[in-house]
Amino acid sequence: MRMTGAKILMECLLEQGVDTIFGYPGGTILNVYDELYNYEGRVRHILTAHEQGACHAADGYARSTGKVGVCFATSGPGATNLVTGIATAYMDSSPIVCITCNVGVDLIGKDSFQEVDITGVTMPITKCNYLVRSVDDLADTVREAFAIARSGRPGPVLLDIPKNVTAESAEYEPLDRHSHGMSGKLGELMKRSSQNFKAPEPDYKDIDKLVEMINAAKKPLLICGGGVVRSRAHWEFETFANKIDAPVAITLMGAGGFRGRNKLTTGMIGMHGSQASNMAVDACDLLIAVGCRFSDRVALKPSSFAQNAKIVQIDIDRSEINKNVQTDHHIIGDAKRVLQLLLERIEQLDHSEWKKYVFSFPTETVYDQVADRLTPGQVLSSIARILPQDTIVTTDVGQHQIWAAQHFHFDYPGQLVTSGGFGTMGFGLGAAIGAQAGNPDKIVLHVTGDGSFRMNCNELATESYYKLPIITVLFNNGTLGMVRQWQTLIYKQHYSQTTLDRAPDFVKLAEAYGLNGWRVHNVEDFETALKAALESDKGSVIDVAVYMDEMVRPMVGGGSHITEFMIH
Amino acid sequence: MNEIKRQTLAVLVDNEAGVLSRVARLFSGKGYNIESLAVGTTDDVKVSRITIEVMADEKQTRLLSNQLRKLICVHSVKRLLPEHSIRRELVLFKVLAQTSDVRNEIIQVANIFRASIIDVSISSITLAVIGDESKAEAIQNLLREFGILELVRTGMMALERGQYTIDEQTKEKGEFDYGKNVL
């Protein structure tokens, strides 16, 4: 069948099972949007307020559904507006495919209107990117892009298609998704023993060695990292933890990889980790980290991290081994497959003594209940009580992010959508739009702060137009709370440029966008507002007034030993 | 293990636009300076071979190799140990030679190093020498006495000694497994 590049692109998206696209049109991508018109009913396009929002939405969609997220943007500023979103997805290994159109091939390199070398710009923040110079290569390249985005360690891929390629015609042969790896360039790539396309089968000798180590250990500890979430290995992980009877510390990205209510959970690990987690890391004699790259927010001080333990790293990405922390043993492979192999080889173990020690420390932060003011702890407890247990939570970045991660118990992968590695303020609302679009039957809660929310609150327009009933809980403390916390603890209370005593009135803002808005000062009002938000079919913003000097506890300073708590 | 020295990596890549910048970018992005770089096509015109030298310790080299392997355009990466490989580079020297005495002396030096004379003019002489860095450095020190007008080098190229090749299909699996006699 002969068809235009734009139509080939749409057909290839259907091959991949794409049902939702987030995007923003512009001059060079017009042919694609014109074709999109003919695909109404088969592909839903969500028009965001800004390309960054589209990219975060695709990311939120991908993280919450496990499918590949797709976003469209035009050339030049449209493409560069995606950059922060792509970097966010890259740092957290989220599979998205960004499709940008560039100026026509004849105009490339001439500083044409809205021209930018977006493949050059995004080289360090994509798994791979492509400039499709010929319409004959388009179908194969789209197939390759999706295969790369979703396989191995997932991540973002960018396709830049010059405008003339979308207008020119080529032969298109429909190809079932499962046959994509059989032919063409993708077929050749699959044949190469590259970890980018297939998870390597774990080495059985490595597995056996770990089984020996587990049997020899008296004080084993597990770390549940983002890899467990990406590989949807939560069932295997929990069975494994129960079987070897080891406490489990969870990283921010690992939230949802291990059931938060399982009695083996020691809570979060690292800079804002619980005392139980951090003390356990220091005392354990075997540390098994699954899908965790020991970032500086987890390991803090690599040289003394788990100093009494043999460290074992299980990761799909070979280049993560020994990158941040020197390990004693490692297994390369997909978390799910490795855990399955381990489960076949281990007996039920018992580590009661060790657990007694670990769980003598608190696994959760108990925030003071203060009579005269509303505390984040009270707000989060109310939320946990009122909203259904399977609520998807998206966050921005800062104190509210850590409060939410510490306080809620997450049950399944994709339940917490947060920018962990890149720490992107302004991520949450876009991500919530993506999560709600991908999970229409679930409640989506967007937890944010006034600093983060102000950055990308333009997406309230999208939330409103598409009638997405997202509940935004805004912890409004009139300051950049996390930065202020550092200034209080480390910078002699010099609150340089962190006080946000300024507009807008968030209730009026929500109302201006046609959404519900409430400002609350006490628990009763908050609960009333939250229940009303839950009942409403519109999106809501609940502006929660909290105290400026509320802190995230506990906290270990960056680069300090993991048990050197600055505050408990 | 932690000694920083000159490391040689051989990399097979797709012979396509942008591939060299992807590879080079990876080094700069991780804070390494490329000491030497040589690129050319292989027997298969769709595949190029890059020889890169960087200053790094063993652990860093291993991480760099594994990160290179993650690039889609990279087919295979191999670290070439000096004791098991041959390394050669071609250096061209344009030397000041305004009298016949000087020219004769330069020709003598060239003969000793088995350098070839590839261009002569009234006032200069151009030599080509092939060798590893010690040979190039030795002749360079001698030629400096006459006055080096220009110098250009191809960058170090390296091949493993014996029948082994970079192509991982022909190798034992263990050799490519991380941490066990890697690279």
Side-chain angles (χ1 to χ4, degrees):
Chain A
M1 245 180 305
R2 230 180 145 70
M3 51 179 80
T4 64
K7 194 166 172 60
I8 293 175
L9 174 64
M10 293 309 301
E11 287 295 328
C12 285
L13 293 180
L14 289 183
E15 276 178 10
Q16 299 291 340
V18 173
D19 52 13
T20 311
I21 297 166
F22 306 90
Y24 207 94
T28 56
I29 200 169
L30 270 172
N31 291 324
V32 175
Y33 272 87
D34 194 48
E35 196 57 52
L36 186 71
Y37 200 74
N38 300 324
Y39 283 78
E40 219 178 275
R42 281 185 281 174
V43 180
R44 176 159 74 138
H45 181 272
I46 292 184
L47 175 66
T48 55
H50 187 281
E51 286 90 350
Q52 187 184 348
C55 199
H56 289 327
D59 191 349
Y61 177 92
R63 294 187 201 213
S64 61
T65 61
K67 295 192 278 187
V68 179
V70 181
C71 71
F72 279 179
T74 191
S75 60
T80 53
N81 278 345
L82 298 177
V83 169
T84 302
I86 298 173
T88 306
Y90 186 70
M91 286 291 263
D92 291 343
S93 309
S94 173
I96 60 171
V97 171
C98 299
I99 293 163
T100 56
C101 286
N102 212 328
V103 297
V105 168
D106 293 349
L107 289 169
I108 285 184
K110 296 181 180 165
D111 292 338
S112 310
F113 177 65
Q114 294 194 327
E115 184 196 349
V116 70
D117 171 18
I118 194 65
T119 47
V121 171
T122 56
M123 225 177 250
I125 50 170
T126 48
K127 264 185 96 174
C128 194
N129 61 26
Y130 303 85
L131 175 62
V132 187
R133 287 175 172 278
S134 159
V135 68
D136 298 316
D137 300 336
L138 184 59
D140 272 354
T141 313
V142 177
R143 289 162 186 161
E144 194 178 318
F146 274 85
I148 290 172
R150 83 161 78 80
S151 48
R153 178 180 182 174
V157 177
L158 180 131
L159 272 177
D160 194 26
I161 311 171
K163 187 172 184 179
N164 63 301
V165 173
T166 61
E168 288 161 12
S169 297
E171 276 304 315
Y172 166 77
E173 286 291 332
L175 198 58
D176 178 61
R177 189 175 122 189
H178 300 285
S179 321
H180 287 176
M182 313 269 188
S183 61
K185 182 150 173 270
L186 185 55
E188 273 173 46
L189 285 168
M190 300 279 272
K191 263 185 241 150
R192 277 189 214 162
S193 57
S194 163
Q195 56 182 336
N196 291 305
F197 291 96
K198 47 189 175 206
E201 178 67 4
D203 187 329
Y204 289 15
K205 280 192 216 117
D206 288 346
I207 302 269
D208 291 338
K209 186 175 168 197
L210 178 55
V211 171
E212 277 172 37
M213 290 169 89
I214 291 169
N215 289 333
K218 298 270 182 295
K219 296 185 271 186
L221 177 72
L222 284 165
I223 295 182
C224 174
V228 179
V229 173
R230 287 289 169 274
S231 135
R232 298 294 196 258
H234 49 302
W235 183 86
E236 287 80 1
F237 190 92
E238 186 165 2
T239 316
F240 177 65
N242 288 338
K243 219 163 173 187
I244 69 167
D245 199 31
V248 178
I250 305 174
T251 69
L252 181 63
M253 295 315 298
F258 187 65
R259 218 160 42 83
R261 253 178 296 252
N262 187 307
K263 290 218 159 27
L264 290 169
T265 315
T266 62
M268 205 154 82
I269 181 179
M271 182 173 276
H272 298 294
S274 70
Q275 289 189 53
S277 295
N278 289 8
M279 298 305 278
V281 167
D282 213 31
C284 65
D285 65 356
L286 175 67
L287 180 74
I288 305 172
V290 186
C292 159
R293 62 186 166 88
F294 301 111
S295 84
D296 55 318
R297 287 295 190 268
V298 165
L300 298 159
K301 187 179 180 186
S303 58
S304 71
F305 182 76
Q307 52 195 337
N308 300 312
K310 293 249 183 266
I311 302 178
V312 181
Q313 194 174 1
I314 299 173
D315 208 292
I316 196 165
D317 182 355
R318 198 171 288 252
S319 72
E320 286 299 343
I321 309 293
N322 292 355
K323 187 176 85 177
N324 296 331
V325 165
Q326 192 64 34
T327 60
D328 297 282
H329 182 48
H330 62 265
I331 300 173
I332 311 288
D334 182 67
K336 196 170 198 149
R337 180 71 186 136
V338 173
L339 290 168
Q340 281 166 352
L341 290 171
L342 283 168
L343 283 174
E344 288 168 10
R345 289 165 171 76
I346 47 168
E347 305 293 321
Q348 180 66 46
L349 301 173
D350 176 66
H351 294 110
S352 313
E353 280 294 304
W354 162 236
K355 281 194 309 192
K356 203 189 277 174
Y357 170 77
V358 172
F359 291 105
S360 68
F361 298 100
T363 60
E364 282 179 26
T365 312
V366 181
Y367 287 97
D368 307 330
Q369 302 291 329
V370 187
D372 61 343
R373 66 167 198 261
L374 185 55
T375 63
Q378 289 171 325
V379 174
L380 294 164
S381 302
S382 297
I383 293 173
R385 208 170 49 246
I386 293 168
L387 294 190
Q389 175 54 33
D390 68 346
T391 298
I392 295 177
V393 180
T394 77
T395 78
D396 274 307
V397 170
Q399 287 184 317
H400 68 269
Q401 176 189 30
I402 306 298
W403 284 327
Q406 287 177 335
H407 208 93
F408 295 136
H409 297 292
F410 299 100
D411 281 345
Y412 59 89
Q415 197 181 358
L416 175 66
V417 178
T418 188
S419 170
F422 206 51
T424 310
M425 287 173 72
F427 170 75
L429 187 53
I433 288 168
Q436 187 74 80
N439 302 272
D441 302 331
K442 289 205 174 113
I443 305 290
V444 175
L445 171 73
H446 168 222
V447 181
T448 184
D450 49 327
S452 289
F453 191 59
R454 196 180 276 107
M455 282 194 173
N456 281 341
C457 58
N458 49 9
E459 295 304 339
L460 287 176
T462 317
E463 179 185 338
S464 165
Y465 180 81
Y466 292 96
K467 299 193 169 47
L468 303 170
I470 297 161
I471 302 172
T472 295
V473 172
L474 195 166
F475 285 99
N476 190 346
N477 54 4
T479 180
L480 290 175
M482 188 61 98
V483 185
R484 185 182 172 92
Q485 176 168 342
W486 283 52
Q487 287 172 332
T488 304
L489 295 171
I490 306 164
Y491 289 88
K492 301 182 185 143
Q493 289 146 45
H494 292 169
Y495 298 118
S496 177
Q497 298 297 315
T498 49
T499 309
L500 299 174
D501 45 355
R502 58 196 66 183
D505 176 330
F506 289 107
V507 174
K508 280 189 185 156
L509 183 78
E511 285 167 359
Y513 280 109
L515 303 172
N516 304 313
W518 293 280
R519 182 164 174 82
V520 298
H521 297 271
N522 58 54
V523 183
E524 294 73 39
D525 288 354
F526 175 72
E527 293 193 353
T528 313
L530 186 62
K531 282 173 189 158
L534 196 55
E535 297 283 300
S536 174
D537 53 358
K538 286 198 290 188
S540 307
V541 175
I542 309 176
D543 182 359
V544 184
V546 291
Y547 177 50
M548 196 174 225
D549 279 312
E550 214 74 67
M551 292 225 187
V552 173
R553 291 181 291 122
M555 178 172 170
V556 181
S560 303
H561 182 61
I562 196 158
T563 55
E564 286 169 9
F565 290 98
M566 290 171 93
I567 44 172
H568 280 285
Chain B
M1 181 85 182
N2 294 321
E3 187 196 348
I4 294 189
K5 53 185 182 188
R6 209 179 173 94
Q7 307 281 356
T8 310
L9 293 174
V11 189
L12 284 189
V13 295
D14 285 333
N15 181 15
E16 280 173 10
V19 168
L20 184 60
S21 74
R22 275 173 215 278
V23 171
R25 208 225 89 238
L26 193 134
F27 286 84
S28 62
K30 309 277 173 203
Y32 294 89
N33 179 34
I34 294 176
E35 303 286 326
S36 159
L37 178 72
V39 194
T41 52
T42 61
D43 195 26
D44 178 353
V45 287
K46 287 191 283 185
V47 180
S48 288
R49 181 168 172 134
I50 308 179
T51 310
I52 301 177
E53 298 205 329
V54 286
M55 300 300 286
D57 68 18
E58 268 193 53
K59 187 183 160 189
Q60 291 167 333
T61 313
R62 199 174 288 166
L63 284 171
L64 277 170
S65 312
N66 281 326
Q67 272 148 352
L68 278 172
R69 288 194 183 99
K70 277 170 72 176
L71 299 178
I72 309 294
C73 57
V74 169
H75 295 224
S76 42
V77 181
K78 190 158 196 207
R79 175 174 167 217
L80 299 179
L81 297 169
E83 55 269 37
H84 296 140
S85 53
I86 34 171
R87 296 164 64 243
R88 292 289 182 272
E89 97 180 307
L90 171 68
V91 190
L92 303 183
F93 295 95
K94 189 187 285 177
V95 189
L96 200 61
Q98 284 163 321
T99 65
S100 65
D101 285 355
V102 171
R103 246 191 313 272
N104 284 336
E105 268 190 70
I106 293 172
I107 290 166
Q108 277 181 23
V109 170
N111 287 339
I112 293 165
F113 283 91
R114 280 186 278 168
S116 42
I117 292 144
I118 52 176
D119 184 57
V120 182
S121 75
I122 301 282
S123 57
S124 74
I125 187 162
T126 303
L127 310 179
V129 63
I130 296 172
D132 60 11
E133 62 262 81
S134 62
K135 184 171 173 184
E137 198 187 321
I139 191 168
Q140 190 178 339
N141 285 337
L142 287 172
L143 294 176
R144 198 174 284 135
E145 300 297 317
F146 304 97
I148 298 173
L149 293 170
E150 267 188 318
L151 179 163
V152 60
R153 43 180 94 225
T154 54
M156 198 63 76
M157 298 176 290
L159 272 183
E160 202 171 354
R161 290 183 189 276
Q163 61 172 325
Y164 293 120
T165 69
I166 187 173
D167 183 7
E168 59 191 76
Q169 303 296 334
T170 63
K171 304 288 283 186
E172 294 281 318
K173 176 180 171 290
E175 196 158 349
F176 286 88
D177 248 356
Y178 184 83
K180 294 154 213 156
N181 184 19
V182 208
L183 309 175

